[in-house]
Amino acid sequence: MIALSLLMIGVAYLIGSISSAVLISQAFRIPDPRRHGSGNPGATNVYRLGGRVPALLVLLSDVLKGTIPVYSAYFMGIPPVTLGFIAIAACLGHIYPLYFNFSGGKGVATALGAMLPIGPSLAGLLIASWAVVVFIWGYSSLGAIVTVALAPVFTWFIKPMYTVPVAMLSVLIIFRHRENIQRLLKGEESKVWDKGKANE
């Protein structure tokens, strides 16, 4: 089981390293999201640069990068805490992609995908939390921070045995957003619908 767990952690990192934003931007002939807009290769920046369709494709692809390795490991009987490390590996692949000079995104969609195997009720609560925050304040980053902060609480009430791995994932994503937190506190963060050069 240890060997299988280590293998799945490695596989999760390699899957996470596939930069959906870069590949889909190339397919749609959109400017490289790592060098334009906010400079973040994620769905929000692709939306600013290329519109809804490529952004939705990026979002779906990034979610699957978390879901596939975690779901696969779950069916292999790998224990909950180890699933947490597999989820973190997928997110680290997205944040520090091996194939793209270790320059990646924030890992939010991949983290969401990694949490999906816990159940549709958790997924619904997470999506609703993000949507409410973005609808009220307009900040994608704030929505992500609030959502991942609430994720362990939701998990505790739905499937308590997964609270620790979800909390591990939440800490990683919040840490990744430390610059966004600073900009939010200063009132310098850009909103989802801001076009052109923007922070994210």
Side-chain angles (χ1 to χ4, degrees):
M1 185 60 73
I2 293 177
L4 180 61
S5 297
L6 291 174
L7 174 63
M8 288 307 298
I9 288 172
V11 168
Y13 173 75
L14 294 176
I15 292 175
S17 290
I18 300 171
S19 183
S20 310
V22 174
L23 296 177
I24 290 172
S25 293
Q26 290 175 350
F28 280 82
R29 297 184 178 180
I30 298 169
D32 191 332
R34 295 170 298 177
R35 298 181 177 85
H36 296 82
S38 68
N40 180 59
T44 303
N45 196 31
V46 171
Y47 169 72
R48 293 190 184 113
L49 296 170
R52 295 178 181 178
V53 173
L56 286 172
L57 290 174
V58 171
L59 179 62
L60 177 61
S61 300
D62 286 349
V63 167
L64 289 175
K65 291 195 303 185
T67 302
I68 291 171
V70 173
Y71 235 143
S72 300
Y74 170 79
F75 283 114
M76 293 175 188
I78 292 176
V81 173
T82 307
L83 290 178
F85 285 110
I86 292 170
I88 287 173
C91 289
L92 286 174
H94 180 85
I95 296 169
Y96 305 107
L98 177 66
Y99 321 119
F100 295 88
N101 300 317
F102 302 100
S103 177
K106 298 295 174 67
V108 178
T110 303
L112 172 63
M115 296 179 196
L116 288 182
I118 295 175
S121 54
L122 176 62
L125 286 169
L126 295 176
I127 293 170
S129 298
W130 182 87
V132 168
V133 173
V134 173
F135 178 78
I136 294 174
W137 288 285
Y139 298 106
S140 177
S141 58
L142 180 61
I145 293 164
V146 171
T147 299
V148 297
L150 290 173
V153 179
F154 294 150
T155 305
W156 172 260
F157 287 103
I158 296 170
K159 287 189 179 178
M161 73 284 289
Y162 292 105
T163 302
V164 171
V166 168
M168 293 161 54
L169 201 54
S170 296
V171 169
L172 172 64
I173 300 304
I174 291 173
F175 176 77
R176 182 71 173 114
H177 281 78
R178 61 194 184 279
E179 293 180 359
N180 300 86
I181 294 172
Q182 292 175 357
R183 289 197 295 267
L184 285 165
L185 292 173
K186 294 177 181 177
E188 298 174 353
E189 186 76 332
S190 298
K191 296 188 176 183
V192 173
W193 45 79
D194 289 340
K195 298 292 183 178
K197 185 173 178 58
N199 292 320
E200 182 186 331

